[in-house]
């Protein structure tokens, strides 16, 4: 029983370390911001929900998936998308930044979150 407990604790510890370094690496990447549209939702293999979304960046139409976390989203809604410039496949939909469907991002994306959206921070 002790061996099983130690294995579980070791697994959790290793998982936390991997998650920490993954996030640290992601945070260090140069990012741009664009607008994305929710095109679907799915349930994860083990737990949680995921949002499928489309976005356009540098003239390319792309699709990706983000963790839904605790947000309630619907198909057809628009949100800000954070795009690591050199790892576009790691783009995340920022579900705490809803945007109107009429908002279009520049071809190269925004360098930072637009000021008119930053006003929502802290709400």
């Amino acid at each position: 029983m002790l061996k099983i407990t130690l294995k579980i604790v070791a697994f959790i510890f290793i998982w936390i370390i991997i998650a920490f370094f993954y996030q640290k690496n992601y945070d260090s990447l140069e990012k741009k911001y664009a607008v994305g549209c929710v095109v679907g939702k799915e349930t994860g293999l083990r737990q949680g929900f995921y949002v499928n979304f489309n976005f356009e960046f540098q003239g390319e139409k792309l699709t990706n998936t983000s963790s839904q976390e605790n947000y309630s989203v619907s198909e057809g809604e628009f949100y800000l998308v954070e795009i690591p410039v050199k790892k576009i496949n790691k783009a995340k939909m920022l579900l705490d930044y809803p945007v109107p469907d009429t908002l279009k991002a520049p071809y190269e994306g925004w360098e930072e979150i637009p000021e008119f959206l930053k006003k929502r921070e802290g709400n």
Side-chain angles (χ1 to χ4, degrees), residues 67-83:
S67 171
Q68 186 175 340
E69 299 171 4
N70 296 322
Y71 296 95
S72 175
V73 300
S74 298
E75 197 169 316
E77 292 180 335
F78 291 81
Y79 295 89
L80 205 58
V81 176
E82 184 176 65
I83 308 161

Side-chain angles (χ1 to χ4, degrees), residues 1-120:
M1 183 67 159
L2 181 61
K3 285 185 179 183
I4 293 172
T5 304
L6 287 174
K7 285 181 183 180
I8 291 171
V9 169
F11 175 78
I12 291 170
F13 180 72
I14 290 169
W15 186 254
I16 290 171
I17 289 173
I18 290 169
F20 171 78
F21 283 107
Y22 174 84
Q23 187 62 43
K24 187 175 179 180
N25 177 48
Y26 180 84
D27 290 345
S28 71
L29 299 172
E30 176 191 359
K31 296 177 198 74
K32 299 275 182 128
Y33 298 87
V35 175
C37 179
V38 176
V39 294
K41 297 185 332 184
E42 60 187 61
T43 305
L45 292 175
R46 295 186 182 187
Q47 62 182 357
F49 296 94
Y50 295 89
V51 176
N52 300 318
F53 61 96
N54 291 337
F55 64 101
E56 195 169 318
F57 182 64
Q58 297 177 338
E60 249 187 285
K61 292 184 180 185
L62 304 158
T63 300
N64 210 344
T65 302
S66 271
S67 171
Q68 186 175 340
E69 299 171 4
N70 296 322
Y71 296 95
S72 175
V73 300
S74 298
E75 197 169 316
E77 292 180 335
F78 291 81
Y79 295 89
L80 205 58
V81 176
E82 184 176 65
I83 308 161
V85 176
K86 297 194 184 214
K87 294 189 178 188
I88 294 173
N89 64 326
K90 303 239 185 252
K92 291 183 184 178
M93 183 166 259
L94 302 178
L95 299 173
D96 50 346
Y97 287 97
V99 299
D101 60 352
T102 55
L103 182 65
K104 302 293 180 214
Y107 179 83
E108 292 287 331
W110 291 290
E111 295 288 328
E112 59 183 39
I113 295 173
E115 284 300 319
F116 62 90
L117 291 174
K118 283 184 178 182
K119 293 176 187 173
R120 297 181 184 190

